[in-house]
C-alpha cells in the first residue's frame, strides 16, 4: 500500500505542477492531470474504507490500519490553487470530488483550511449580490454561478454541472469542522485560533453558505413548480436527482449540527427558512403528483423523488423526539421556529390529509413524515381542534383498511408515535392537552387492533398501550358511576387482554411486546406521582390505592413467572424488565406504607440466574432488575423472618456482589486494553451498559447494612474498589459509568464506611481516588459536587490507618498532597480529621515515603486548629463563635 500511495503522490505532484505551468492549455496533459486526480480520489476513498472498517484489516494478514500517509493539508492547498485556474472549469468536478473525499478521511487537516473554501475574501465594500465584482466564498461561488445557469436555462453549462460537486464538498468540509468548539459558548478551545474574531468569522461564513443553499432550493422549487422536468433539456434525471440529494444533505446538516445557543441564535432564522423551503418542495411535490395530466404524469416519478428527498430535511430537523430509552429530545430550534410559524400550516394540512395516503408508496412516505411530527412535536397536532380531528380521521382511515394489513400497521404507527411523543414531552413541560381526548379518540382503535389476526398489527397496538399516561388509565379503568380504584371496582378488560398476550403461544413478538407494555403500564400507574387535574371544574384525581397496586402486581407476577423462562431471549428480557418496573414501583409504596408483597421475592433466583444468560439484553435487564427485587429479599422488613431459616443467604449476597463487580471490571479492563477477550462493537457497547447498571445495583445492595455485617470484608473491599476505579478511569470509560459509580457511593450509609474503617483498605483508596479526581477536574466535571460530598463522608469515617493506606497508595492512585491540604483548609474540615492525618503521618512506613515538609504542614495546621475557639453547640460558623481571635503564627497557609 505504501508503494502505491507513493507512486500516486508523485503523479499527483507532477500533475499539479503541470497544471500550474500550462494552465490546462494542453489537451494531452489535461487527460493525464484528470487521471492523476481520479487516482488520488480512489486512494483516499480506499483509505477511508479501511479507516471505517469496511474491509478486514489485521496484523495477521499483513495489513495495518491506515495512518497519515498522505499530506492532506498540502493537497487541499493544491486543489484550491488548481480550481482558481481559468481554464480548469471542465475538470473542476474531479477536484471537488477529491476535496470531498479528503474532508471525510482527514477532517482535522481540512478543517484547518476552512477559510480557503468557505470564508468570503472579497473586500468589504465589494460584498453584495454583484457577482461581476465579487470574489466571495470560494465554494459558495461555484454554487451561485450554478444558480445563475439554472435561472437562465443553461443546464449544459459547466457551472451547473459543477454545482452538486461543490455542494458535496461544502457538506463534507462543514462536517469536519468542530463547530461546537469553535463557536459555541459552551466550548473553550485549548489552542490559539487565527487572528480576528474567530467565532464571528465562522458564523458569517455559515450564514453566507446558508444563503446560497436557500437560493439553490428556491431555484429547484421553481423548476418543480413551473413545468415538467423532462422537457427542460438539461441532461439526465439522475443528474438533477444528484443535485437535489446533495442540497438536501447540506440543508439537513444546517438544522442539526450547528449550535444555536447564545450568540449563535442568529443562525436560527436562516436555518428555519431552509426547513420551511424544504417543506414547501415536499408539499408541492405531493400536490403535483395528484394533477392528472399527461405532462405531469410523465414527470411524476422525479417530482415524487423531489418530495421524498426534501422530506429528508424535515426528518433531520425534527429528530426522533425520544431516544430508544425513552428520554425526551427537544426539537431543533430551527424546526421549532418553523412549526410555530404560519408557514408550516400548509405542510401540516397536507401531512394530515387522507389524500396523501391514497397509494401504498405514498402512504409509507407520508406516514414517516407525519409520525416524526407526531413524535417530536405532538403539540402541532393538538394546537387546533381541526388538526386533532383530522389526525384522528387519518388514523381511523388507515387502521380501518380491512384489506391491507400494512396500511393498518401504518395507522397504528401514527397513533403510537403521537402517544410516545406526548409522553416524552411531559418531561420537557412543553405539551398541554385535554387528556380525556386520548382514550376517547384513539383507545377504541387500539382495542380493535388487539383482536386483529395479523401479529404485527397486534404488536403495534400493544406497544401503543404501553405509551399511555396515568390520566388515560384513570379514565379507562374506572367503570361508570364508580369513584374508587378498589380492585373489584376496576374495569380490567384492557389490562387483562395485554396480560393474556404475554403467554401467546403463536408469536414471540407479541409476548415480548406485551411484557414490555405491562411493565410500562404498571410503572406509569403506580410509580408516577398522583397529580391534580389542571381543570378547576373537575375534582382532584382519585389515587391508585394500595389494594389496586397489590392486586395488579400479583397478576403481573403470575404471568411473568412463565415468561421469564421463555425460550425466546426477547421475551425473557422484557419479562425481566416488567418485573423490574413492578419491584421499583412497589418498593416506593412499601417504604411509605409498609406493604408486604411476598410474590415479588420469588423472582429473585430466576433473575439472578439470568445474570449469566447468553443474551446481552437479558443480562442488561437482569442487572437493573436485581437491584430492585433485592429490596424485597434483603431489607430488614423482609429478611428478619427468614434469616434464621436460611444460613446461606449471606453467601448468595456475596456471590451476587461478586457477579456485579465482575461486570464492572470487564468494562474497565476493555477500556484500558487489558481484556482477555476480543470484543465486537456490539459486545463492547453491551459491556458498558452492563457496567453502568451494575454500579447502580451495587449501590442498592451495599445500602443494606444488615447484610454487609454478615459478609467478609474482602468482598466489600473488592466491590468498592471497582466503583473507585470507575472514577479513577473517568477520562477513559463512558461518563455514565463514572456518574453511576459516584451516585452509588454517595448514597451508601455512613454505617458502611464506619464498618469498613480499620477493617479494610477501601476508605484509604477511596480518599486517594477522590482527591486525585478533584485535583484533575477542577470545575469541569458534572459529578464534581458528588465527589466532594463523598470525600467529606469518607473523611468523617476514616481513622489513622485509612489515611496511612491513602498516603501509601500514591504510586497507584496519584494525587497532590499540597492540593489536598488546601482543599481541607478551604472546606473548613473539623480538627479531629487533622488529628487523624497527623497520627498517620507519624507512622514509620508513611514517613519513609513522604517529605518531612508534608508532615510539618499538617502538624502546624493541627496545632492551629486546636488553638481556635470551639464551635458552639448550635454549630455556628467559626466567625460567629465567642472568644478571642486565633493566633496565626506558625500557620503555613
Amino acid at each position: 500500500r505504501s508503494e502505491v500511495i507513493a507512486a500516486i503522490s508523485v503523479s499527483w505532484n507532477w500533475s499539479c505542477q503541470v497544471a500550474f505551468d500550462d494552465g490546462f492549455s494542453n489537451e494531452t496533459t489535461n487527460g493525464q492531470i484528470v487521471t492523476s486526480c481520479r487516482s488520488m480520489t480512489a486512494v483516499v476513498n480506499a483509505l477511508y474504507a479501511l479507516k471505517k472498517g469496511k474491509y478486514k484489516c489485521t496484523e495477521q494478514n499483513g495489513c495495518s490500519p491506515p495512518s497519515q500517509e498522505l499530506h492532506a493539508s498540502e493537497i487541499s492547498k493544491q486543489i484550491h490553487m488548481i480550481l482558481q485556474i481559468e481554464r480548469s472549469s471542465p475538470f473542476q468536478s474531479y477536484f471537488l470530488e477529491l476535496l470531498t473525499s479528503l474532508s471525510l478521511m482527514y477532517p482535522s487537516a481540512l478543517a484547518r483550511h476552512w477559510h480557503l473554501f468557505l470564508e468570503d475574501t472579497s473586500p468589504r465594500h465589494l460584498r453584495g449580490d454583484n457577482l461581476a465584482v465579487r470574489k466571495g466564498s470560494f465554494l459558495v461561488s461555484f454554487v451561485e454561478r450554478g444558480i445563475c445557469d439554472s435561472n437562465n436555462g443553461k443546464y449544459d453549462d459547466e457551472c451547473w454541472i459543477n454545482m452538486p460537486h461543490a455542494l458535496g464538498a461544502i457538506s463534507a468540509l462543514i462536517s469536519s469542522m468542530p463547530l461546537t468548539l469553535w463557536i459555541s459558548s459552551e466550548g473553550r478551545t485549548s489552542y490559539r485560533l487565527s487572528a480576528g474574531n474567530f467565532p464571528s468569522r465562522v458564523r458569517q461564513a455559515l450564514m453566507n453558505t446558508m444563503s446560497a443553499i436557500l437560493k439553490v432550493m428556491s431555484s429547484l422549487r421553481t423548476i418543480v413548480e413551473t413545468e415538467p422536468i423532462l422537457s427542460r433539456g438539461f441532461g439526465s434525471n439522475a443528474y438533477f436527482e444528484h443535485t437535489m440529494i446533495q442540497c438536501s444533505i447540506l440543508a439537513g446538516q444546517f438544522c442539526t449540527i450547528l449550535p444555536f445557543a447564545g450568540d449563535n441564535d442568529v443562525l436560527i432564522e436562516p436555518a428555519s427558512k431552509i426547513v420551511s423551503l424544504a417543506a414547501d418542495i415536499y408539499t408541492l411535490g405531493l400536490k403535483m403528483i395528484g394533477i392528472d395530466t399527461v405532462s405531469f404524469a410523465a414527470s411524476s416519478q422525479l417530482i415524487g423523488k423531489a418530495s421524498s428527498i426534501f422530506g429528508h430535511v424535515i426528518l433531520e430537523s425534527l429528530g426522533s423526539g425520544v431516544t430508544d430509552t425513552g428520554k425526551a429530545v427537544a426539537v431543533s430550534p430551527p424546526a421549532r421556529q418553523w412549526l410555530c410559524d404560519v408557514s408550516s400550516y400548509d405542510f401540516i394540512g397536507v401531512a394530515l390529509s387522507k389524500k396523501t395516503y391514497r397509494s401504498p408508496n405514498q402512504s409509507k412516505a407520508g406516514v414517516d413524515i407525519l409520525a416524526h411530527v407526531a413524535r417530536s412535536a405532538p403539540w402541532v397536532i393538538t394546537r387546533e381542534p381541526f388538526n386533532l380531528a383530522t389526525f384522528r380521521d387519518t388514523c381511523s382511515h388507515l387502521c380501518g383498511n380491512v384489506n391491507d394489513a400494512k396500511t393498518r400497521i401504518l395507522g397504528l404507527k401514527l397513533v403510537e408515535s403521537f402517544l410516545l411523543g406526548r409522553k416524552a414531552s411531559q418531561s420537557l413541560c412543553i405539551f398541554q392537552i385535554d387528556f380525556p381526548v386520548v382514550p376517547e379518540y384513539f383507545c377504541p382503535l387500539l382495542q380493535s387492533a388487539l383482536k386483529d389476526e395479523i401479529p404485527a398489527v397486534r404488536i403495534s397496538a400493544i406497544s401503543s398501550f404501553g405509551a399511555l399516561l396515568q390520566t388515560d388509565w384513570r379514565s379507562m379503568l374506572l367503570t361508570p358511576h364508580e369513584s374508587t380504584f378498589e380492585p373489584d371496582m376496576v374495569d380490567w378488560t384492557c389490562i387483562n387482554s395485554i396480560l393474556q398476550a404475554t403467554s401467546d403461544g403463536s408469536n414471540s413478538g407479541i409476548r415480548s411486546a406485551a411484557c414490555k407494555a405491562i411493565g410500562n403500564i404498571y410503572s406509569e400507574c403506580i410509580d408516577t406521582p398522583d397529580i391534580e387535574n389542571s381543570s378547576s371544574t373537575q375534582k382532584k384525581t382519585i389515587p391508585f390505592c394500595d389494594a389496586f397496586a397489590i392486586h395488579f402486581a400479583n397478576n403481573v407476577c403470575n404471568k411473568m413467572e412463565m415468561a421469564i423462562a421463555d425460550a425466546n431471549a426477547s421475551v425473557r428480557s422484557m419479562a425481566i424488565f416488567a418485573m423490574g418496573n413492578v419491584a421499583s414501583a412497589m418498593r416506593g409504596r412499601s417504604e411509605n406504607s409498609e406493604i408486604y408483597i411476598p410474590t415479588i421475592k420469588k423472582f429473585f433466583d430466576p433473575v439472578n440466574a439470568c445474570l449469566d444468560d447468553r443474551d446481552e439484553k437479558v443480562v442488561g435487564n437482569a442487572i437493573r432488575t436485581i437491584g430492585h427485587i433485592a429490596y424485597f429479599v434483603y431489607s430488614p422488613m423482609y429478611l428478619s423472618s427468614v434469616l434464621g431459616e436460611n444460613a446461606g443467604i449471606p453467601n448468595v449476597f456475596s456471590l451476587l456482589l461478586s457477579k456485579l463487580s465482575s461486570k464492572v471490571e470487564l468494562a474497565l479492563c476493555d477500556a484500558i486494553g487489558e481484556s482477555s477477550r476480543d470484543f465486537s462493537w456490539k459486545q463492547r457497547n453491551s459491556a458498558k451498559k452492563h457496567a453502568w447498571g451494575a454500579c447502580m445495583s451495587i449501590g442498592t445492595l451495599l445500602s443494606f447494612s444488615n447484610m454487609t455485617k454478615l459478609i467478609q470484608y474482602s468482598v466489600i473491599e473488592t466491590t468498592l474498589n471497582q466503583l473507585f476505579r470507575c472514577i479513577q478511569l473517568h477520562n477513559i470509560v463512558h461518563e455514565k459509568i463514572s456518574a453511576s459509580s459516584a451516585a452509588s457511593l454517595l448514597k451508601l450509609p455512613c454505617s458502611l464506611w464506619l464498618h469498613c474503617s480499620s477493617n479494610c483498605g477501601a476508605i484509604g483508596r477511596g480518599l486517594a481516588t477522590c482527591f486525585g479526581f478533584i485535583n484533575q477536574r477542577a470545575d469541569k466535571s458534572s459529578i464534581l459536587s458528588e465527589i466532594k460530598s463523598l470525600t467529606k463522608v469518607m473523611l468523617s469515617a476514616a481513622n489513622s490507618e485509612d489515611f496511612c493506606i491513602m498516603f501509601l497508595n500514591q504510586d497507584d492512585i496519584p494525587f497532590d498532597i499540597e492540593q489536598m491540604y488546601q482543599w481541607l483548609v478551604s472546606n473548613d474540615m473539623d480538627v479531629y480529621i487533622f488529628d487523624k492525618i497527623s497520627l498517620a503521618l507519624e507512622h514509620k512506613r508513611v514517613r519513609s515515603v513522604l517529605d518531612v515538609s508534608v508532615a510539618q504542614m499538617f502538624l502546624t495546621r493541627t496545632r492551629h486548629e486546636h488553638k481556635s475557639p470551639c464551635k458552639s453547640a448550635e454549630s455556628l460558623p467559626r466567625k460567629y463563635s465567642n472568644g478571642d481571635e486565633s493566633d496565626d503564627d506558625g500557620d503555613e497557609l
Side-chain angles (χ1 to χ4, degrees), residues 63-120:
C63 176
S64 59
S67 58
Q68 186 76 17
E69 296 170 320
L70 290 173
H71 299 289
S73 180
E74 184 64 28
I75 295 174
S76 66
K77 294 178 184 178
Q78 292 170 330
I79 293 173
H80 180 257
M81 295 172 64
I82 289 174
L83 291 175
Q84 294 182 81
I85 299 175
E86 185 176 353
R87 295 183 181 179
S88 66
S89 295
F91 317 107
Q92 286 174 343
S93 61
Y94 300 109
F95 294 95
L96 290 170
E97 287 182 0
L98 175 56
L99 181 63
T100 302
S101 299
L102 283 171
S103 299
L104 295 174
M105 177 61 192
Y106 304 106
S108 299
L110 269 293
R112 287 197 292 268
H113 300 295
W114 71 275
H115 57 283
L116 296 178
F117 300 98
L118 296 179
E119 190 169 25
D120 191 344

Side-chain angles (χ1 to χ4, degrees), residues 553-572:
N554 288 331
N555 287 345
V556 175
C557 290
N558 291 336
K559 287 294 183 180
M560 293 304 110
E561 192 170 2
M562 182 171 63
I564 206 171
D566 197 283
N568 184 273
S570 179
V571 179
R572 295 198 304 274

Side-chain angles (χ1 to χ4, degrees), residues 83 96 99 114-121 128 131 134-148 159 162-163 166-167 169-171 173-174 204-216 250 254:
L83 291 175
L96 290 170
L99 181 63
W114 71 275
H115 57 283
L116 296 178
F117 300 98
L118 296 179
E119 190 169 25
D120 191 344
T121 57
L131 295 180
R134 177 185 171 198
K135 184 178 180 182
S137 168
F138 191 73
L139 288 179
V140 171
S141 65
F142 283 94
V143 177
E144 291 182 332
R145 289 196 294 269
I147 295 170
C148 289
C159 295
N162 289 333
M163 185 169 70
L167 291 172
I170 293 173
S171 176
L173 192 57
I174 288 179
Q204 188 60 50
L206 292 172
M207 293 183 68
N208 292 340
T209 307
M210 284 192 279
S211 177
I213 296 304
L214 282 169
K215 294 177 183 178
V216 175
L250 184 54
F254 283 128

